[in-house]
Amino acid sequence: MLSIDPASLSERENYKFLIGSIIPRPIAFVTTVSKDGIINGAPFSYFNIVSSNPPMISLSIQRSAGRHKDTARNIIESKQFVVHIVDENNVEKINETAARLPSDQSEVELANLTPVDSVKISVPGVKEAKIRMECLLEHSIELGGLDSPGCDHFIGRIVQFHIESDIYEKGRIDPRGLAAVSRLAGHNYAKIGEIFEIERPK
């Protein structure tokens, strides 16, 4: 077995080890609005659950050359965002939003996604997602970097769920119906695949 000190590696080498090892990763498609009213949309796979009481999620956004990405800047400024679950039906369009656009152009428009009003926040979601979550910023933490932070870590409190009725029954979400996709390394994604059950010990 190899034993490697991450301090001896470049950022890119550590990145490749992380995204190749921590798989599969859920993908959040995040919409935000800039101070100029531009709807920004981007996918992130550094994303997970933090708490169910209250319901909170985490999202880490790497900086580019020490600068905030549009999504991070918009979250810091507006304190609001919408998280969507990426699935087999919308993954192609969501992938288009990963393009690097100027701040005054909308990835949501580029990908022909359909904006839909939120209930409790001013940031719209997109209609093409089976699940979306309206979030208020709970915490923002600057992390990493030698001279300046390397990423922004956000904790969002979910204030409204939107779930397609076809995949929801008796308080549970049908994983097959949701058909969420996950991120692997490189250009690779994964579907749900085989589902098996193991009872937890008492």
Side-chain angles (χ1 to χ4, degrees):
M1 177 173 280
L2 296 173
S3 184
I4 302 169
D5 181 353
S8 70
L9 303 176
S10 68
E11 182 275 337
R12 196 69 188 169
E13 289 169 325
N14 280 317
Y15 168 78
K16 287 182 179 179
F17 280 144
L18 286 166
I19 66 167
S21 302
I22 302 173
I23 58 172
R25 297 186 307 281
I27 309 166
F29 175 65
V30 182
T31 52
T32 57
V33 174
S34 73
K35 61 183 178 183
D36 297 321
I38 305 298
I39 303 174
N40 172 263
F44 299 95
S45 65
Y46 294 8
F47 155 64
N48 222 312
I49 299 167
V50 171
S51 166
S52 56
N53 183 26
M56 294 193 290
I57 57 92
S58 67
L59 179 69
S60 285
I61 301 177
Q62 304 302 294
R63 294 192 182 185
S64 178
R67 295 188 300 271
H68 287 122
K69 291 186 178 175
D70 291 345
T71 300
R73 185 180 59 255
N74 293 344
I75 291 174
I76 291 166
E77 290 176 352
S78 75
K79 309 290 192 287
Q80 303 178 359
F81 57 102
V82 181
V83 168
H84 309 73
I85 301 302
V86 179
D87 62 53
E88 292 178 33
N89 294 329
N90 64 27
V91 65
E92 293 285 349
K93 284 192 170 188
I94 299 301
N95 184 57
E96 291 180 38
T97 69
R100 293 184 182 179
L101 296 184
S103 298
D104 61 353
Q105 293 183 25
S106 171
E107 296 84 358
V108 171
E109 287 183 15
L110 171 76
N112 292 313
L113 292 163
T114 311
V116 57
D117 288 341
S118 290
V119 172
K120 294 184 178 174
I121 64 174
S122 61
V123 176
V126 298
K127 187 177 181 181
E128 287 76 8
K130 296 174 188 174
I131 294 178
R132 68 182 190 273
M133 296 166 269
E134 299 177 20
C135 298
L136 293 175
L137 179 62
E138 188 84 3
H139 294 291
S140 173
I141 309 164
E142 295 180 336
L143 296 171
L146 297 175
D147 301 319
S148 64
C151 82
D152 295 279
H153 184 71
F154 300 105
I155 305 295
R157 178 164 44 90
I158 299 166
V159 294
Q160 192 77 22
F161 287 105
H162 301 274
I163 303 168
E164 186 126 330
S165 57
D166 290 351
I167 66 169
Y168 181 79
E169 186 177 359
K170 297 180 181 177
R172 297 180 186 273
I173 293 168
D174 171 21
R176 294 281 184 211
L178 176 56
V181 295
S182 56
R183 199 74 171 85
L184 305 178
H187 299 297
N188 295 324
Y189 292 77
K191 298 180 181 181
I192 289 293
E194 180 184 356
I195 295 176
F196 61 94
E197 182 176 338
I198 301 177
E199 286 191 25
R200 296 178 69 171
K202 298 203 173 37

